[in-house]
Amino acid sequence: MPALARMLISDEEFAGCRATVMDGNPDMAAEMAGRIVEEGLKFVAACSANPGVGLAPSRIVDEGWHALILHTAVYAELCQRLGGAFVHHYPGWDPTNYDPPILDRTREKIGELGWEADPQLWGPPSDETLVSVAAKCQHSPDCTIVITPKPKPGGVV
């Protein structure tokens, strides 16, 4: 994996995703929007590298993931480069679903890729002291992200 997760996509693609985060959050600084997109990239890479584990982003990081998903060609190419399994989004709309072990597991998997999860952006959904985001998704055990690997030739997974 590259030293910076933001290098998983081109500078132009990164700028476009950052602008999408800023469009949904008009008072957000470009630096913060960039941090959120970078954490979204780390999350997608962790999901791709750990099929079947069940990971979830924090509510703030979900905003960056949403921006990546909205750039459909960029997102599809990213998933392909990371191993081919498309990382689908399963929204969870109930903020009471917050389950810290899911975030702990996700941060651990990000660390195994050589990155550090930004601790300020991986907190509970009620922690909006740093930044408030438009995304209202809150992933939980019922809506964790589980990647199903592509079948290998001959139908073996």
Side-chain angles (χ1 to χ4, degrees):
M1 288 290 161
L4 297 174
R6 61 127 2 270
M7 296 173 71
L8 290 170
I9 58 177
S10 73
D11 289 343
E12 182 180 333
E13 293 165 341
F14 186 85
C17 292
R18 182 181 58 212
T20 297
V21 170
M22 293 169 63
D23 286 346
N25 302 276
D27 296 329
M28 186 178 291
E31 184 270 336
M32 177 57 71
R35 284 173 60 191
I36 291 170
V37 171
E38 185 159 1
E39 293 305 303
L41 287 164
K42 292 175 188 177
F43 170 71
V44 173
C47 288
S48 185
N50 295 281
V53 172
L55 304 176
S58 69
R59 188 163 157 190
I60 292 173
V61 173
D62 203 41
E63 186 81 5
W65 186 24
H66 289 182
L68 288 163
I69 292 168
L70 288 173
H71 293 257
T72 59
V74 170
Y75 188 69
E77 289 169 13
L78 171 65
C79 290
Q80 186 65 37
R81 279 194 309 275
L82 291 171
F86 193 84
V87 181
H88 290 278
H89 185 272
Y90 299 94
W93 300 106
D94 182 355
T96 65
N97 284 335
Y98 174 62
D99 186 11
I102 293 171
L103 295 185
D104 293 342
R105 183 171 57 243
T106 304
R107 287 190 301 265
E108 178 183 306
K109 295 302 180 186
I110 287 170
E112 288 174 6
L113 294 175
W115 295 311
E116 180 183 353
D118 186 328
Q120 292 184 312
L121 302 183
W122 282 90
S126 59
D127 185 12
E128 293 189 354
T129 55
L130 179 67
V131 62
S132 178
V133 294
K136 299 300 180 208
C137 290
Q138 182 57 51
H139 298 274
S140 71
D142 294 334
C143 58
T144 55
I145 312 309
V146 178
I147 307 306
T148 305
K150 282 184 174 180
K152 293 186 175 30
V156 178
V157 177

